[in-house]
Amino acid sequence: MLRKNIKYGFLLRGNVLLATLSPLILIIFGDIIPLQFFFLIGGIVFSIYSISMNGILLEISGNKNRTMYTGIAGAGNILPALFPLLGGWLIKQYGFTLFFILFILIVILSLYFINKINCKK
């Protein structure tokens, strides 16, 4: 019932909001908020991303091209494996604040591509 009313673009925009607010809250409030809160938000962000990307893949691909799009999406999964390595290096070299600022900028830039998605659902 609820799944028919929520569009993938809305999910992705909400995901951008959560992914942007989480490091901002961590920078501003630091030790006041328990660390478990950020793991919970991170899990929610990852879940929304996984659900919406799989749904969008099904929306944009026809039966003929579905395997090709799935292969391309699978090849794109190398970035989540490389990002923690690059993030660890950035944090070691420049600290958490610069890493969080770059993370927020990258997430906000994703809004450009989210707005370009043309899904019916």
Side-chain angles (χ1 to χ4, degrees):
M1 180 176 134
L2 186 61
R3 68 179 172 88
K4 293 181 180 179
N5 297 332
I6 297 177
K7 298 182 184 292
Y8 292 120
F10 175 76
L11 281 175
L12 288 172
R13 286 182 192 90
N15 206 16
V16 167
L17 180 68
L18 281 175
T20 303
L21 288 178
S22 182
L24 283 176
I25 291 170
L26 187 60
I27 290 171
I28 293 169
F29 296 109
D31 297 332
I32 297 173
I33 298 176
L35 195 57
Q36 292 88 347
F37 170 78
F38 298 103
F39 280 102
L40 176 67
I41 297 298
I44 292 169
V45 166
F46 182 74
S47 296
I48 291 173
Y49 170 78
S50 297
I51 291 167
S52 57
M53 293 311 291
N54 288 329
I56 288 171
L57 177 66
L58 290 174
E59 285 288 318
I60 65 170
S61 64
N63 288 335
K64 182 180 176 184
N65 296 334
R66 189 160 292 158
T67 55
M68 182 182 68
Y69 283 128
T70 303
I72 292 170
N77 286 337
I78 190 75
L79 292 177
L82 294 177
F83 187 73
L85 297 173
L86 177 64
W89 179 81
L90 282 171
I91 291 168
K92 183 179 177 185
Q93 297 296 319
Y94 303 106
F96 280 102
T97 305
L98 178 68
F99 171 76
F100 286 145
I101 291 169
L102 287 174
F103 175 79
I104 290 169
L105 288 174
I106 291 169
V107 170
I108 290 173
L109 286 174
S110 71
L111 284 172
Y112 172 78
F113 298 102
I114 291 170
N115 290 327
K116 295 283 184 183
I117 295 173
N118 186 14
C119 283
K120 296 174 185 143
K121 290 185 180 180

